[in-house]
């Protein structure tokens, strides 16, 4: 049987989030502690646990077919590889940081400085675009200590909460790029493997759509329905059902997008909606 080989990071938050996504897609992975390869018991998939930085080359070589990895790694080592789905988790940014006591004026402050980083290609490209010349020191591992031991004047690294920078006496001064987990594919997939990937991608899209949406049920007087419907987006249109109480109806719809959700709820209240019920959606299949 043809199996699709998926690479994910061998440990850490990206590993956990990737496995959770596959599980939510109905793919059960049988893996034990320390295992570097595992098969799904209910789907033609094999998972390989690899170092994040090695995955782009494994994709090019055909060792694995697809991968879930950080976009920052793809920018650094796999710009030739296509992003086929943005996954919305493991979000971070690639930033420049300096010691807290050092005053920062502008990007020009990095001219001629020593920069410690695990992302030399990203830094070189960014500095070239901005006309900055600097001395890069490539470090594989924790770069935050470099300024404290006199190895560098600043660092470039991925930043999530910023707590690691703070603990090491550093401050973030320039955000170079934003990153999230992405699904990417190798250059040549057989038709059989592409069909498996299409199925997985369809399931992923359904899971992500559900995570970013809420199902809303509310009651409203009939003379307020038109005003309320103006606020309610839906997959096609909201559902309106008469209630037992004369002159009232129940309205059902799906609201997508976390940023505008509370604005919509506030607007519904102002326009006469009552008994608003918000229900999470596990998956949304279109």
């Amino acid at each position: 049987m043809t199996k699709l080989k998926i690479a994910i990071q061998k440990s850490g938050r990206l590993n956990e989030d990737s496995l959770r996504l596959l599980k939510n897609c109905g793919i059960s992975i049988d893996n034990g502690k320390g295992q570097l390869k595992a098969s799904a018991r209910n789907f033609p998939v094999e998972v390989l646990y690899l170092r994040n930085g090695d995955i782009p080359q494994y994709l090019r070589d055909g060792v694995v077919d697809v991968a879930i990895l950080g976009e920052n790694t793809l920018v650094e080592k796999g710009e030739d590889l296509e992003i086929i789905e943005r996954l919305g988790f493991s979000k971070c940014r690639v930033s420049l940081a300096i010691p807290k006591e050092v005053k920062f004026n502008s990007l020009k402050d990095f001219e001629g400085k020593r920069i410690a980083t695990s992302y030399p290609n990203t830094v070189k490209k960014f500095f070239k675009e901005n006309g900055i010349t600097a001395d890069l020191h490539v470090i594989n591992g924790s770069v935050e200590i470099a300024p404290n031991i006199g190895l560098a004047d600043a660092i470039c690294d991925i930043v999530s909460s910023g707590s690691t920078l703070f603990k090491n006496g550093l401050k973030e001064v320039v955000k170079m790029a934003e990153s999230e987990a992405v699904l990417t594919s190798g250059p040549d997939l057989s038709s059989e493997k592409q069909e498996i990937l299409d199925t997985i991608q369809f399931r992923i899209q359904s899971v992500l759509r559900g995570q970013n949406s809420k199902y809303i049920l509310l009651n409203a007087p009939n003379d307020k329905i038109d005003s309320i419907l103006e606020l309610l987006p839906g997959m096609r249109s909201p559902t309106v059902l008469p209630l037992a109480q004369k002159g009232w109806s129940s309205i059902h719809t799906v609201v997508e997008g976390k940023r505008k959700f509370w604005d919509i709820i506030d607007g519904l209240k102002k326009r006469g909606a009552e008994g608003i019920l918000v229900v999470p959606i596990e998956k949304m299949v279109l």
Side-chain angles (χ1 to χ4, degrees), residues 14 52 69-78 90 92-94 119 122 157-158 177-182:
L14 184 53
N52 215 33
L69 76 167
E71 183 180 4
N72 56 292
T73 301
L74 210 57
V75 170
E76 177 67 23
K77 296 187 175 183
S90 295
C92 62
R93 53 198 179 273
V94 183
Y119 302 95
T122 302
D157 202 9
I158 57 172
E178 293 187 341
S179 176
E180 64 182 292
V182 296

Side-chain angles (χ1 to χ4, degrees), residues 30-85:
D30 293 319
N31 63 295
K33 187 176 181 180
Q35 197 170 341
L36 298 181
K37 186 171 70 171
S39 294
R41 59 175 177 266
N42 63 343
F43 202 80
V45 156
E46 191 171 62
V47 175
L48 283 76
Y49 302 96
L50 304 170
R51 288 181 64 253
N52 215 33
D54 295 336
I55 291 176
Q57 191 58 49
Y58 283 134
L59 283 164
R60 294 188 194 94
D61 293 341
V63 175
V64 294
D65 304 306
V66 297
I68 298 174
L69 76 167
E71 183 180 4
N72 56 292
T73 301
L74 210 57
V75 170
E76 177 67 23
K77 296 187 175 183
E79 282 196 315
D80 55 315
L81 299 169
E82 180 186 4
I83 294 174
I84 57 177
E85 195 73 46

Side-chain angles (χ1 to χ4, degrees), residues 27-252:
I27 301 173
S28 300
I29 308 297
D30 293 319
N31 63 295
K33 187 176 181 180
Q35 197 170 341
L36 298 181
K37 186 171 70 171
S39 294
R41 59 175 177 266
N42 63 343
F43 202 80
V45 156
E46 191 171 62
V47 175
L48 283 76
Y49 302 96
L50 304 170
R51 288 181 64 253
N52 215 33
D54 295 336
I55 291 176
Q57 191 58 49
Y58 283 134
L59 283 164
R60 294 188 194 94
D61 293 341
V63 175
V64 294
D65 304 306
V66 297
I68 298 174
L69 76 167
E71 183 180 4
N72 56 292
T73 301
L74 210 57
V75 170
E76 177 67 23
K77 296 187 175 183
E79 282 196 315
D80 55 315
L81 299 169
E82 180 186 4
I83 294 174
I84 57 177
E85 195 73 46
R86 293 186 174 275
L87 303 177
F89 57 80
S90 295
K91 290 186 177 182
C92 62
R93 53 198 179 273
V94 183
S95 296
L96 291 163
I98 61 176
K100 284 189 289 186
E101 67 275 9
V102 176
K103 183 181 178 182
F104 177 73
N105 298 300
S106 71
L107 191 58
K108 290 293 183 182
D109 290 356
F110 291 100
E111 179 68 34
K113 294 295 192 296
R114 300 167 299 161
I115 314 295
T117 184
S118 299
Y119 302 95
N121 294 332
T122 302
V123 179
K124 286 176 185 176
K125 181 179 178 181
F126 181 79
F127 278 177
K128 183 177 180 180
E129 290 172 350
N130 289 277
I132 303 293
T133 301
D135 181 16
L136 298 189
H137 290 254
V138 180
I139 299 177
N140 294 318
S142 299
V143 301
E144 297 88 355
I145 196 173
N148 290 330
I149 61 176
L151 181 63
D153 303 300
I155 70 165
C156 170
D157 202 9
I158 57 172
V159 179
S160 183
S161 66
S163 61
T164 303
L165 293 180
F166 180 80
K167 291 174 184 177
N168 285 277
L170 302 173
K171 61 182 178 181
E172 182 181 6
V173 292
V174 177
K175 182 177 73 174
M176 297 167 54
E178 293 187 341
S179 176
E180 64 182 292
V182 296
L183 180 68
T184 185
S185 170
D188 298 305
L189 292 186
S190 66
S191 58
E192 293 88 351
K193 290 186 176 183
Q194 185 62 53
E195 186 175 349
I196 298 170
L197 176 57
D198 290 344
T199 299
I200 293 175
Q201 193 172 1
F202 170 77
R203 293 187 184 188
I204 287 175
Q205 290 169 349
S206 299
V207 169
L208 297 180
R209 200 178 294 118
Q211 290 175 348
N212 197 42
S213 305
K214 301 291 184 183
Y215 190 77
I216 295 179
L217 304 89
L218 60 91
N219 297 331
N222 288 343
D223 61 352
K224 302 288 187 181
I225 289 177
D226 288 342
S227 175
I228 286 173
L229 292 183
E230 290 176 357
L231 279 178
L232 289 178
M235 289 181 285
R236 287 206 172 95
S237 64
T239 300
V240 181
L241 301 171
L243 291 177
Q245 184 178 349
K246 189 175 180 180
W248 283 75
S249 294
S250 175
I251 301 175
H252 301 203

